[in-house]
Amino acid sequence: VPPAARASPQGFLYAAPVREQGNIYKPNNKMMADELSEKAVHDVHTKEIDLVNRDPKHLNDDVVKIDFEDVIAEPEGTHSFDGIWKASFTTFTVTKYWFYRLLSAIFGIPMALIWGIYFAILSFLHIWAVVPCIRSYLIEIQCISRVYSICIHTFCDPLFEAIGKMFSSIRATVRKEI
């Protein structure tokens, strides 16, 4: 009898092949078991973040991406001294950069806490209140719509068919008289 056609100990005709490494739930070898235990220790909430590209989804491209040229501009024929223009540019840029850092150092973590709580509450309400209410409403309205449909087909359809037959025999002709 070929090996594939032999009955398994559980009585099945085809036994599931056993891999040397096992599967991801019950690894047979120590190396795979160690890899899984390392992955289990890794917390999904402490994922690697990109410290260079801090806006990967481009949320603030059109809102707060403001440079010196977007705020202060001198038209042709009205120019200040070059030194004043350079100093103004440097002052604006450095002030914006360091004041933003100061504000984010003072308020960044408290605001992250507030927004984390807000979105947690929003998620909780959506998952445990909004979606179940909508699903419940859709179930109830489906029952009501069936009853409404039966009433319409029972009472209104014959009435409208009768009115349609009455008006279907009316013929209108248009003549143009000069």
Side-chain angles (χ1 to χ4, degrees), residues 7-14:
S8 68
Q10 292 87 10
F12 299 117
L13 183 59
Y14 294 103

Side-chain angles (χ1 to χ4, degrees), residues 35-167:
E35 287 176 15
L36 284 176
S37 65
E38 288 175 17
K39 288 180 185 174
V41 172
H42 180 69
D43 186 10
V44 295
H45 300 294
T46 57
K47 67 180 184 176
E48 288 290 324
I49 59 171
D50 188 358
L51 293 176
V52 176
N53 183 13
R54 296 187 185 191
D55 190 7
K57 295 184 180 179
H58 306 287
L59 296 176
N60 295 309
D61 278 355
D62 56 340
V63 181
V64 293
K65 196 173 185 179
I66 298 173
D67 291 324
F68 181 74
E69 300 84 15
D70 299 325
V71 178
I72 300 171
E74 292 181 333
E76 284 297 320
T78 310
H79 286 185
S80 61
F81 295 111
D82 291 345
I84 299 296
W85 186 252
K86 288 179 185 178
S88 298
F89 173 80
T90 304
T91 304
F92 176 89
T93 306
V94 170
T95 303
K96 185 181 101 170
Y97 178 77
W98 282 105
F99 200 73
Y100 174 78
R101 284 190 151 197
L102 176 69
L103 287 174
S104 63
I106 295 170
F107 298 110
I109 292 175
M111 291 301 294
L113 177 69
I114 290 168
W115 285 115
I117 291 169
Y118 172 76
F119 282 109
I121 291 169
L122 191 66
S123 298
F124 174 81
L125 289 175
H126 186 75
I127 292 167
W128 292 99
V130 173
V131 171
C133 285
I134 290 172
R135 296 291 290 172
S136 172
Y137 173 76
L138 290 175
I139 291 169
E140 294 298 325
I141 204 72
Q142 185 179 20
C143 178
I144 292 169
S145 73
R146 286 185 181 156
V147 171
Y148 178 76
S149 176
I150 290 170
C151 290
I152 292 296
H153 289 303
T154 302
F155 300 111
C156 294
D157 284 358
L159 175 67
F160 292 137
E161 283 180 29
I163 293 172
K165 285 183 182 180
M166 283 181 3
F167 288 115

